[in-house]
Structure formats: C-alpha cells, structure tokens
Amino acid sequence: MDGTDQCSMCSGRSLEGVMRGLQSLHGEVLPPLHPGASPPSAACWTTSSGTAWRWSGAALSSTSRWTNTRSGFGCPRRSTAGRRSRGCLSSPAQLSVGAARGLVSERNFRGCLENLVYNGLDLMESLRNKERRVTVVGNVTFSCAESVSVAVTFPGPQSFLQLPWATSSSPEGVSVGFQFRTWNDAGLLLTFDLPEEGGVVWLYLSEARLRLQIRKGGRALLELSAGSALNDGQWHSVELTSRRGRLTIAVDTEEGGVAHAGLPVSAGSQLFFGGCPAAEDSQECKNPFGVFQGCMRLLRLEDQPVDLIRVQQRLLGNYSHLQIDMCGIIDRCSPSRCEHGGRCSQSWSVFRCNCSASGYSGATCHSSVYEQSCEAYKHNGNTSGHFYIDVDGSGPIGPQLVYCNMTEENTWMVIRHNNTQLTGVRPSAGVDQHSVHFDYSTEEEQLLAVISQSEHCEQELSYRCRKSRLLNTPEGSPFSWWLGGPGSGRVQTYWGGAQPGSRQCACGLQGDCVDPQHYCNCDADRAEWAEDSGLLTHEESLPVRSLVLGDIQRAVSEAAYRVGPLRCYGDKNFWNAAFFDKETSYLHFPTFHGELSADISFLFKTTAPSGVFLENLGIKDFIRIELSSPTRVAFSLDVGDGPLEVRVESAVPLNDDRWHRVRAERNVMETSLRLDGLPVARRGAPADGHLHLQLNSQLFVGGTASRQKGFRGCIRALQLNGVTLDLEERASITPGVRAGCPGHCSSYGSLCRNRGRCAERANGFLCDCGLSAYTGAFCHTEVSASFLPGTTVSYTFKQPHESGRNSSARPSSIYSDTTLRGEDVSLSFRTTQSPALLLYVSSHRGESLALLLNKHEALEVRYKLDGSRGAEVLRSGGRSLADGRLHAVSVRRRADAVTLQIDRRPKEDFNLTADGEFNAIRSLVLGRVHDSEDVDPDLSRLASLGFTGCLSVVRFNSVSPLKAALLHPHTSPVVVTGPLVRSTCGSSASANPHAAQDTRHLSDRPGSVGSGQPLVNAVRTDSALIGGLIAVAIFVLASGLAITARFLCRRKGTYRNQEAEGVKREDSQDLTFTSQRDSQSVSTENPKEYFI
C-alpha cells in the first residue's frame, strides 16, 4: 500500500508482530490510555482530548498483512455497534499510540497504521498538518511500503520446482529457507543429493510434522523431526542450515520447534521443491514420500531470495505444473459443511467430517444414528431399556436419552426430572409457601417435540395432606397451584384427574370427595390423612415445571407431594400412512428445499412391480425415488452437472406386500441410498461441481407431474430433512388415496417369538402371548419361579361336564382337551437336588406322565397310559443335570413315538408299548404332590418331598401352568400352596446358579395372599393336609411321632436326610436318594437363590 495514496504512518521502533497497544474490554478493542510521564525513546505520538471520547477504528499491519480493528464505547445516550452504553469513560490528559507509556514490560509497535480516527479526529492528518495537540516522539514517516512476495502453487502429482545450487558459494554447508502452507499431512518439501555419491537428503511432511532424513548406502544416517499440526492451512517458515558440522531444522522459529544434529551436510548441484520430475526425465531426484500439494513463498538459498518471476520466465531453474504468482489453496472448511457439530478437516482436494460423538453419520454428519421414538425401537425388535431418540431425525433438535418401557400394550417413553419421589413438606418459621422447580433430563425443544409427536402423554400429580388445604374449593382463592406447558409454564389451578380451568381435583369430577361441599379431598381440612391424585393428560399443560404449595404455615399442617415422570406413548409420525390404489393417484406438497443437504426416508409396501414414490422438479434440477423393478430401488437427481442415479438391488422381491425402508441422502460430497439392511450405495459428487439443488415445482408423492408410472401401494412415515409430511391429512381430501394402511403382521409378525401370535392394530401390531409360556412385548421374557420343598402349583384341567360353562373371562391358553394322543411338554429347570420330581400329570383313569431326575442325575420320562399296567420308563443318556445350571427339556409324543431333547444335545427317540391315548387328564402339578391317591405308587415318596430349585417357562400343550399361577392367578384354575417366588432364575443370562435373583414374591402383588396360602380360586389345603397327617398318624400309631417330626423338619427345609431312610425298598432303584447332595445344603448353601 502506498503511503502517498492513503493516510498511513510507519513507526520505526519497537513492538514486533501484532500491536500490543490495543486491548480488549467487553469483546471490543480499546486503546490503553496512560497519562503522565515522558515517553521513552520510541516512535509514538500523543494527543489531548476532552472528557468524553470514542475510539472509532484502526488498521494495523504486521508481517506484511493488514488487519482491521475497530472499538468503541462512549457516554450515556450514545450507542456503539448496537450495544447500549455501559457508562461514560473520561479520557486522561493524553492518549498514546504506538507505545505504552509507563509500562516497562511492554514493547513499542513497529509497523504501519492507517485511517487512525479518534473521536472523529483524523490523527494522522493532524500530524501531517503539524497541529500542536499532536506530538511526535521518535521516527515516524508517512509511507508504508509493503514487501512484495511471490507465491507458487503446487496443485498436483506432476508439480515440482528445480533450482540450481551454486556449490562455490558454500562448499561445506547449506542454508535453505522458505514458507509453505498446505492442508495435507504428508508430502515432499525439498530434496537434494549429497556431493558424496549415493547420499540423499529429504525434507518432508509426515503426520503433519516436519521430518528430515539423510540416507547413504541404503541406510538412514540421520532422522530429525520438528513442529506439529503443520497442515492447518497457515503459512509456516522452514529453515535448513548446516554450518561448522552442525545441522539444524527449524519451523516457525519462535514457537514451532527446532532440531539439531552433529552431522555436516552440503548440497549437490540441484535442489527439488515439492516433488520430482518424471522418472524418465530425472535420475537425480527420488521421492518416496508423496507429492506436496500447497503453496510456497519467500524461497531463499544461502540467504539470497529466489526470484520466482525469473523462474516463471524460464530464466532460472525448471518447473512443471506450477501456478506462479498466486497461492491457489482453497479453505474447504470455511464455511464448514459439517452439520450437527461434526468437525471439519481437509486435504488439498476434499474435506472430511468427523462425526464421532455427534450422534449423526454420513459424509456431512447429516443423518441421525438414532431412531425417533420408542415405538420405532420396538419395531426393530428391541426390548425395554434406555435409548437415545432423535425426535426430528436430521433436523436441528439433538438426541436425548429416555427410558422405553415395552412391557405393556403401549410402548411408553419415560422422561424423568430431578424429583419423582413422594416428598414431605412441614411448616417452617417465616415460610408461607413452598415452591419447587422440576428440571428435566432433556432440553426444552426436545420435550416439546416429544409431546407434540406422541399420541398421548400423561404425568401424575398427587398431594397427600393433613390439615393442609389444596385448591380451597369451591369459592376461595387457591392455596396451591402449578405451572406447566412450554417455557416456564402457565399457572394451572386444577389438579390431576380433573379438567383444565375446572379448579377441581379428580374426586370433584367424579363426585366422591370425602366432603361433598368441596371439590378436593384435602380442601375438607381434616386431621386425618387424605389424598388428591390423578393424571394430567392435556398436552398444552405438560410438562409440569413448578409447584407452589400454600397452606403449610400452620403448626398442625402436614403434606407430601409427588410429580411423576413425563410418560408418552405412540408416534404420530411413525404410523402416518397413505394408500395409493391407482397409478394415476398422487399427493402433492410444497416444494422441497434441500439446497445443500437433503435426506428423504419412508417405508413402503406394495404388490406392484414398479412405480414412482416421489418426484420434485426444477427448471433443470430434479429428484426422483422409484421402484424401478421388483428388486430395485433407484434414486436419481440432477443438480446441474447432469443426471446421476444410485441404485440398490435386493436379492428378494420387494413387491411382497411387506414393509421396506428407504433412506436417500444427497449432500455436497456424495449421494447415497439405503434399502432395509442392505449395503449402502454411494456416488461421489463431481469435483468442483454444482452445489445447490434448485427445485421449484410441487413435490409429488405416489406419482409424477406427468401422472405416469405412479405407485400403487402404501407409503408410511415420509420425512424430508427431519420434517414428517402428513400423508393422512392430505389423503383424506384427495380422491384415489386413502389415509392409513392396515396389515402390519406380515412385516412385524416375526418379532413375536415362542409361539406368540401377531395381532393387528390400527397403528401397529401386538404380540399375543396367550399360547406362550413367555411374556413381554414379543413373548420373549421367561416366566420363572423359585420353589421350596413345601411349594405346590396345581393346575386343574376342565372336566367333561364343565364344557358348557361360560368361561369367556378366562384366558384361552388355560384349556386343553382332556384326552390326548400326543403331548408337547417343555420346561427349563435349575437344581442341585436328585432325585427330584419336575412335573407330574395325572388322569381320572389312573394314567400319568412324570418328568424327573433320578439318583444318577439323569432325566427320566415315565408314561403310564394303561391304568392296569406299570409305568414305562424312558431314560435319557445324559447325566449330571443336577449341577445347579439351567437346562431346557422338551418331550414330544405322537401316539407311541416319543422324542426327548435336553438343551442342544441330540434328540433321543423312544417307542411306547401301551395304548397311545392319555385319557381324561385331571391335573398337572409342579413341586410337592399332596394327594397321594393321584400319584403312581412308585413315585409317591418322591412326590411328597417336593422340589427345591428353579422352574421356568413350563408348557404342556397350550397350557402354561406356572405363567397362569404367577400372572393370571384370578382367572386360571390353578392352586398355589406354600411360598412361590417369581424370579429371573430361568434367564439364560443367570449363569451363576447361586447369584442373587431379582425376584418378587406373590405376596407383593396387589390382591394376593401371603406364602402358605392359596391364590384366588384355590381351596385352602392347610387343614386338609393336617387332617391327612393325623390320619396317617392314627393309621401308623407306632411311627406317628416320627412322621410328625419329619413333617415339621420339612417345613424348615431340612427334611431330606430324614426322609431318605424311609424310602421303600420296592421303589425304583434309580430313585434311591444319594448322599452326594442333601437337601439341607440345597436350601441353605445360598439362600439368595431362592429367597428374598
């Protein structure tokens, strides 16, 4: 810049680099003002001023680079850059520019200033005019001659610069300097041969560090490195010197790094910068490190500048594919194309986005890696747990962590806040109100988006009180209220279970308050505890933000409140669907705007072989997604560089009337298409091609603007850049298109496992686990229980005379025909008891089926299908099943053919000799069998001792007796005697049989009875049992006391050793009790296995 053209000034001494006489206050640059003492010998000038002042602007130059600075503040009534004045600052007597007066630690500025204006006064013009109020100290001139530097660009693999080295100038040393800038982390900067034959020097970038390597005779003599992060696109200076036997490389001398070595180096006749000529053109240059792509300038050889203009004119050295007198480096990360907090990095030709920890993926971190709701996770086959959800997909709202409860018919999303517990409130001196604020685990915009997107949301609000009024109904001013809704919330004066604006509680709405004169139970102001609670369900009032309780100041007042977590179910977007029944039918929406980033996702199902899902046109640009064949989906577009198409081929037909998911994305780097779980198809964007997708027509869904090749079938959950299109709303007013699309079991029915059946719903499906021994959202959760010696689960099959009874209220899974020609029996068990009876089925005709472990810890199946004959014993070859581990058993009989399988061992086949019918079955018993007349005499002793261990997922044909006892005790013909503890002991994850189980006793269930008592529909059997024991004592007078003692010991879990001596000799030898494990050790070694 010429100082004669603009008002500029050059200061001769001091502060090197950036002018430190400017400081920052409140984000604005301000000049330091120092009154008083005489300046040191330096270049500076001072000026007098009035009491109020304004610094308007300045420009400074450092290392030949101009920088604009502006600062401002002033007195009241004056604003600076849109800010309100922070007060009036009065100036001292003098303002110093170019030197900090009175600060010894500061150095003066050396460089150029221009356009220096202070309170409207042009200081340099005043100085030029020699006005008395401006004083100059030191050497100040009115010209700023900029140094001229010529840059050279190395754009590609064929680029190099060859310069001659004058060996006579420094025969025993070398000095080379230059500046470079690049985005690449590797590449050759400089190479030359050593005068000694076979030696070579390489100066190069590797991992964004400067490295020097000297090789001779095929081995490395020296390796040095200096600097780091040199691929930041900024200019970096490099010095390579060798003097007096000492070699030095330096990067950005003051702060970059220096490396030294005691090795003398001298250069050959030629130096090569940036790369080497083609192999056939040069034998002197070898480059094993890759080419340099970037810029260089200020080249110096032996402290003499290299005239690159002469190089350009072919008067000096040689070069190829260089751009001289310019630096053609491009900053592709400014502005950054990486979205959602992705970190941008770049090389010479491309940029990359690091999406780690952002929750997004893709070339530009555009697409969310999370589902948008708990509903979506469920339909991927997930079970209950914590999940990240992203309610708007690729939109601006970030992901949030929620709990998804999938154990109920509806899939609940649970968002907690900082206090969901019942919290007591007592009177405090001087406190008239108690106020509490609730902080949620998600951000404001996430909360509101969840509520808006869900089909239903609710939040529990309860108040327990004693002499503490709530709403002061019906006529007084409310003592308490709460705030709910967006932002900080709006005041609400109704309570849970009532309607907004009603000033009532749930009891007032239902008309059952304790005092009919009031609309809340607590408003009766009684000395007894009362409660008002209910659910808040109006979306406009959710979530609860704050709670204010007023009637707590009296000494007799006591209260407790609870605000539950926000719970929502359903996803309006996930099931939003439309059915297109004609090729000419379509829906239209406003133009899609996705100029730089566009993602489109939806699900479809069809029986048609082809059709266009959607299309949007511009003057030349367009996008289209279509089913181009029964096995192919294509995404085609044009952004001005010509049509481009991405296709995904499926190995199976896509017109199978099942849901398939499509996701298409286009950004400045690539176009991609994903279909179901198939590999993603990608096409890179052309280098330096058009970036903006410009569309102007309506968006057609289910067809095209020409009404040709329309789509027949269903489209669901259509989203464009995270925004869901309301297909149902538009379909309800469009001929040829119907809102909604039934038939989900064909796609999601496979998620129902373990004999669960898929049931259709309007929005989605439901797994009916009635015929399964499992429970849960997908019939995948095992139903297990820990048994003690006194535990009995007895399931009674319906009698022939019961067939006409009305049993509509009972589950369909609890009935079966009473005469069978085959059975499917399966269960899992875990025990250390042997022998042990696992399952016993009896009939009215003396027939039976028993599943047991014998004394050899092997499995036996005993069939007695002829009451006049003995049981047939089918013994498995497997042993050691009483090892405390979980084992699965299945028995399948068809007529006289029986198949037995244990765990994943090979199946074993057997044949029975008796009649193939199991007639008039009566009951199925798990655990101890009390009715001895129902038991095969060979098993009576074993049956009376019970079972200690774990039983899980017990199934007999369509009957699940254990599940009926634990989950349907009021509607199933089941009797439970003794303690039955529900447990997770049947989970395959419970590898340690002695680990503590997450159990829940039946007595903890609402409406259940304690241990030792039957559930509803059961007959109390304690008295019958005692009577039976008394009868036995009378019948066997000599052993009555022993039997009574054994009974009492069995009730304490220490029965087995005493009973073992009493087993009849005529019983099967395989049922003889062994001393390897006694029952006492089973029940007391680790009580955590079976007790809570």
Side-chain angles (χ1 to χ4, degrees):
M1 182 177 300
D2 190 348
T4 62
D5 296 332
Q6 296 192 33
C7 186
S8 304
M9 181 181 58
C10 185
S11 171
R13 289 191 52 183
S14 223
L15 184 61
E16 297 179 359
V18 178
M19 184 178 73
R20 298 184 184 179
L22 296 180
Q23 297 178 347
S24 175
L25 175 63
H26 299 297
E28 299 181 69
V29 181
L30 306 177
L33 305 180
H34 302 286
S38 299
S41 177
C44 67
W45 70 95
T46 60
T47 180
S48 301
S49 68
T51 57
W53 60 279
R54 175 177 303 275
W55 180 272
S56 299
L60 60 93
S61 176
S62 173
T63 62
S64 304
R65 190 182 307 171
W66 283 98
T67 303
N68 294 319
T69 61
R70 179 178 296 273
S71 64
F73 59 86
C75 296
R77 300 194 187 96
R78 301 185 68 181
S79 62
T80 302
R83 294 181 182 267
R84 282 185 288 208
S85 173
R86 296 185 176 89
C88 181
L89 180 64
S90 296
S91 170
Q94 291 183 335
L95 166 69
S96 298
V97 178
R101 312 186 78 190
L103 295 181
V104 179
S105 62
E106 295 287 345
R107 292 177 296 169
N108 298 338
F109 171 69
R110 184 177 65 186
C112 288
L113 295 174
E114 72 170 359
N115 299 331
L116 185 60
V117 179
Y118 170 65
N119 273 355
L121 175 64
D122 189 328
L123 295 183
M124 282 180 279
E125 187 64 26
S126 298
L127 184 62
R128 188 192 297 269
N129 296 332
K130 299 180 180 181
E131 296 182 11
R132 296 181 60 184
R133 54 181 171 176
V134 180
T135 304
V136 178
V137 179
N139 181 22
V140 176
T141 61
F142 289 95
S143 65
C144 290
E146 294 189 67
S147 60
V148 178
S149 65
V150 177
V152 58
T153 305
F154 297 76
Q158 297 177 320
S159 301
F160 73 91
L161 171 62
Q162 178 181 348
L163 294 176
W165 176 257
T167 56
S168 60
S169 62
S170 183
E172 296 182 356
V174 64
S175 175
V176 180
F178 59 91
Q179 292 184 358
F180 76 92
R181 59 185 299 202
T182 183
W183 298 118
N184 294 355
D185 61 0
L188 180 68
L189 296 174
L190 170 66
T191 181
F192 55 87
D193 291 339
L194 298 174
E196 297 84 2
E197 186 175 351
V200 63
V201 176
W202 287 301
L203 187 67
Y204 61 97
L205 288 177
S206 177
E207 298 177 342
R209 302 194 67 192
L210 181 67
R211 300 180 187 272
L212 175 74
Q213 185 178 131
I214 301 177
R215 295 183 67 88
K216 186 175 182 181
R219 65 186 184 91
L221 295 181
L222 177 67
E223 291 187 359
L224 297 176
S225 65
S228 62
L230 301 178
N231 62 334
D232 57 1
Q234 300 299 314
W235 286 108
H236 297 281
S237 62
V238 175
E239 298 285 345
L240 169 63
T241 59
S242 176
R243 292 288 187 266
R244 301 182 183 88
R246 183 176 178 83
L247 177 65
T248 302
I249 59 170
V251 183
D252 299 334
T253 308
E254 292 188 354
E255 60 251 345
V258 180
H260 304 281
L263 181 68
V265 171
S266 57
S269 61
Q270 300 293 329
L271 279 68
F272 295 89
F273 293 85
C276 292
E280 60 273 11
D281 298 333
S282 174
Q283 300 298 322
E284 303 176 23
C285 182
K286 303 295 182 185
N287 179 13
F289 303 107
V291 297
F292 170 76
Q293 289 180 299
C295 300
M296 292 187 185
R297 72 178 184 184
L298 302 179
L299 278 72
R300 299 184 310 280
L301 304 181
E302 290 298 330
D303 293 328
Q304 296 300 314
V306 176
D307 188 347
L308 293 177
I309 298 300
R310 293 191 65 209
V311 173
Q312 184 182 33
Q313 296 170 349
R314 301 287 182 178
L315 300 177
L316 177 65
N318 187 24
Y319 70 91
S320 175
H321 294 84
L322 297 184
Q323 298 170 0
I324 299 179
D325 202 14
M326 67 171 293
C327 181
I329 193 170
I330 300 174
D331 188 349
R332 302 178 188 275
C333 288
S334 181
S336 175
R337 304 297 185 187
C338 302
E339 303 178 48
H340 300 110
R343 298 185 299 276
C344 182
S345 62
Q346 58 187 311
S347 64
W348 178 260
S349 56
V350 297
F351 72 91
R352 292 171 295 275
C353 296
N354 184 349
C355 306
S356 59
S358 70
Y360 296 83
S361 65
T364 59
C365 310
H366 178 77
S367 302
S368 178
V369 300
Y370 304 115
E371 297 291 351
Q372 295 183 240
S373 65
C374 290
E375 190 88 1
Y377 276 112
K378 175 184 176 181
H379 287 78
N380 286 341
N382 298 98
T383 57
S384 298
H386 286 91
F387 296 90
Y388 278 99
I389 65 167
D390 195 330
V391 290
D392 67 341
S394 60
I397 301 177
Q400 56 184 313
L401 183 65
V402 302
Y403 182 78
C404 296
N405 182 355
M406 305 179 191
T407 60
E408 304 178 28
E409 180 176 343
N410 294 314
T411 302
W412 290 91
M413 181 189 307
V414 183
I415 301 177
R416 305 185 67 86
H417 55 75
N418 57 328
N419 182 19
T420 58
Q421 303 300 318
L422 184 66
T423 304
V425 180
R426 291 183 177 274
S428 299
V431 177
D432 294 333
Q433 290 182 334
H434 179 80
S435 178
V436 59
H437 179 73
F438 302 103
D439 295 320
Y440 289 82
S441 58
T442 59
E443 301 294 335
E444 168 76 6
E445 57 184 3
Q446 296 169 337
L447 272 174
L448 299 182
V450 165
I451 295 172
S452 174
Q453 182 174 311
S454 300
E455 294 178 6
H456 170 83
C457 288
E458 64 185 33
Q459 198 165 8
E460 179 189 356
L461 180 61
S462 63
Y463 189 66
R464 297 189 63 197
C465 56
R466 185 162 65 178
K467 299 295 288 183
S468 178
R469 291 159 292 181
L470 186 59
L471 300 182
N472 198 25
T473 60
E475 297 176 356
S477 299
F479 286 110
S480 302
W481 60 88
W482 54 278
L483 286 80
S488 58
R490 296 182 299 276
V491 174
Q492 309 290 340
T493 56
Y494 72 100
W495 210 249
Q499 298 296 323
S502 63
R503 282 202 59 199
Q504 292 185 358
C505 298
C507 70
L509 187 67
Q510 299 164 4
D512 57 359
C513 294
V514 295
D515 186 344
Q517 308 259 340
H518 300 280
Y519 300 146
C520 294
N521 292 320
C522 291
D523 288 346
D525 202 25
R526 297 189 176 186
E528 300 82 16
W529 279 102
E531 181 176 0
D532 287 300
S533 63
L535 295 176
L536 304 172
T537 60
H538 295 270
E539 292 184 3
E540 297 79 6
S541 302
L542 295 176
V544 178
R545 304 286 185 173
S546 303
L547 182 64
V548 179
L549 304 176
D551 191 16
I552 59 169
Q553 69 275 14
R554 293 180 291 171
V556 295
S557 297
E558 287 186 82
Y561 66 88
R562 180 178 186 271
V563 176
L566 179 66
R567 303 173 73 240
C568 300
Y569 73 76
D571 184 345
K572 297 176 184 177
N573 297 336
F574 191 73
W575 297 110
N576 193 299
F579 175 70
F580 302 83
D581 57 2
K582 298 178 181 178
E583 288 189 0
T584 57
S585 58
Y586 63 89
L587 299 176
H588 59 85
F589 293 89
T591 305
F592 174 46
H593 296 285
E595 285 78 8
L596 293 175
S597 292
D599 78 276
I600 304 169
S601 64
F602 59 91
L603 294 98
F604 77 91
K605 69 172 185 175
T606 184
T607 57
S610 63
V612 175
F613 298 120
L614 60 86
E615 181 184 79
N616 204 162
L617 305 178
I619 298 176
K620 181 179 179 181
D621 298 359
F622 73 91
I623 57 170
R624 182 185 302 114
I625 305 177
E626 62 182 316
L627 180 69
S628 56
S629 77
T631 59
R632 181 191 303 137
V633 173
F635 176 32
S636 53
L637 72 160
D638 189 346
V639 294
D641 301 313
L644 179 147
E645 184 176 86
V646 182
R647 298 186 298 268
V648 175
E649 292 279 353
S650 171
V652 297
L654 300 172
N655 56 341
D656 55 358
D657 202 28
R658 302 181 65 178
W659 287 113
H660 298 280
R661 186 171 186 174
V662 175
R663 182 177 182 87
E665 181 180 347
R666 179 264 163 186
N667 54 60
V668 296
M669 291 188 67
E670 66 178 22
T671 300
S672 63
L673 179 65
R674 184 190 301 270
L675 172 64
D676 295 334
L678 298 175
V680 182
R682 290 186 170 90
R683 292 279 300 274
D688 301 321
H690 290 81
L691 299 180
H692 294 268
L693 175 65
Q694 298 177 342
L695 307 174
N696 54 26
S697 74
Q698 290 183 321
L699 170 68
F700 289 83
V701 177
T704 65
S706 61
R707 303 188 182 184
Q708 301 296 320
K709 298 176 62 179
F711 172 74
R712 287 187 297 110
C714 291
I715 295 178
R716 173 165 68 89
L718 175 59
Q719 285 194 330
L720 286 78
N721 277 354
V723 178
T724 300
L725 300 188
D726 193 344
L727 300 176
E728 294 184 351
E729 185 273 336
R730 192 60 61 94
S732 63
I733 58 174
T734 304
V737 186
R738 298 201 301 267
C741 193
H744 305 295
C745 282
S746 60
S747 299
Y748 301 114
S750 60
L751 296 177
C752 300
R753 305 195 291 268
N754 302 307
R755 297 167 61 95
R757 297 182 300 180
C758 182
E760 293 284 357
R761 298 177 63 189
N763 286 340
F765 74 101
L766 179 70
C767 290
D768 180 2
C769 305
L771 299 179
S772 172
Y774 292 75
T775 187
F778 306 114
C779 309
H780 64 287
T781 304
E782 78 286 341
V783 180
S784 311
S786 295
F787 280 68
L788 297 176
T791 304
T792 299
V793 175
S794 178
Y795 184 97
T796 303
F797 294 88
K798 70 176 183 178
Q799 306 303 317
H801 63 274
E802 292 184 273
S803 59
R805 296 182 182 180
N806 180 13
S807 58
S808 60
R810 297 176 177 177
S812 61
S813 62
I814 63 177
Y815 293 106
S816 176
D817 294 334
T818 57
T819 299
L820 307 174
R821 291 192 58 80
E823 301 86 39
D824 286 303
V825 184
S826 64
L827 59 84
S828 296
F829 71 92
R830 186 199 301 269
T831 188
T832 55
Q833 174 185 342
S834 68
L837 182 64
L838 302 176
L839 175 146
Y840 186 79
V841 183
S842 62
S843 79
H844 292 280
R845 300 185 181 180
E847 300 173 357
S848 64
L849 164 65
L851 212 62
L852 56 94
L853 295 179
N854 62 25
K855 69 174 185 178
H856 303 297
E857 303 183 14
L859 187 72
E860 285 188 5
V861 181
R862 294 196 170 203
Y863 267 107
K864 186 176 181 181
L865 299 183
D866 186 342
S868 61
R869 299 170 55 184
E872 298 186 58
V873 181
L874 312 179
R875 292 187 178 89
S876 169
R879 299 294 181 94
S880 302
L881 296 180
D883 57 359
R885 297 181 180 179
L886 188 67
H887 298 283
V889 177
S890 64
V891 179
R892 178 183 176 89
R893 180 183 74 89
R894 295 295 180 265
D896 61 348
V898 180
T899 300
L900 171 64
Q901 185 174 24
I902 302 174
D903 298 330
R904 296 184 179 180
R905 302 175 187 178
K907 294 181 179 180
E908 302 175 75
D909 296 321
F910 304 89
N911 287 99
L912 302 175
T913 60
D915 181 6
E917 287 191 351
F918 193 178
N919 296 291
I921 60 174
R922 175 182 176 182
S923 64
L924 183 153
V925 178
L926 305 174
R928 184 180 181 186
V929 182
H930 293 285
D931 298 329
S932 58
E933 65 272 14
D934 290 340
V935 183
D936 181 27
D938 292 341
L939 298 175
S940 59
R941 291 292 183 182
L942 179 61
S944 66
L945 301 181
F947 172 75
T948 301
C950 171
L951 290 178
S952 177
V953 289
V954 181
R955 182 175 60 84
F956 181 86
N957 290 344
S958 60
V959 173
S960 302
L962 186 59
K963 178 181 175 182
L966 293 171
L967 303 184
H968 307 293
H970 305 293
T971 56
S972 304
V974 63
V975 176
V976 177
T977 306
L980 181 68
V981 181
R982 186 174 180 184
S983 170
T984 59
C985 60
S987 170
S988 58
S990 304
N992 181 4
H994 301 292
Q997 305 293 343
D998 179 16
T999 60
R1000 182 158 54 94
H1001 198 282
L1002 278 180
S1003 60
D1004 294 333
R1005 293 175 57 89
S1008 67
V1009 295
S1011 62
Q1013 293 180 306
L1015 301 180
V1016 178
N1017 289 347
V1019 178
R1020 291 182 176 268
T1021 59
D1022 289 352
S1023 58
L1025 177 60
I1026 295 172
L1029 291 175
I1030 294 175
V1032 171
I1034 296 174
F1035 182 75
V1036 190
L1037 294 175
S1039 58
L1041 293 176
I1043 294 175
T1044 303
R1046 286 198 298 272
F1047 173 74
L1048 294 175
C1049 290
R1050 286 199 303 272
R1051 298 293 288 180
K1052 296 178 182 179
T1054 60
Y1055 63 93
R1056 184 178 293 183
N1057 289 338
Q1058 298 165 0
E1059 283 285 5
E1061 298 177 357
V1063 176
K1064 293 182 179 180
R1065 299 248 178 212
E1066 60 269 28
D1067 287 350
S1068 169
Q1069 294 300 309
D1070 285 339
L1071 299 183
T1072 302
F1073 287 84
T1074 69
S1075 60
Q1076 297 174 3
R1077 297 178 178 86
D1078 60 4
S1079 64
Q1080 185 172 359
S1081 67
V1082 170
S1083 60
T1084 62
E1085 266 185 3
N1086 193 335
K1088 289 183 179 179
E1089 181 179 3
Y1090 304 120
F1091 295 86
I1092 286 190

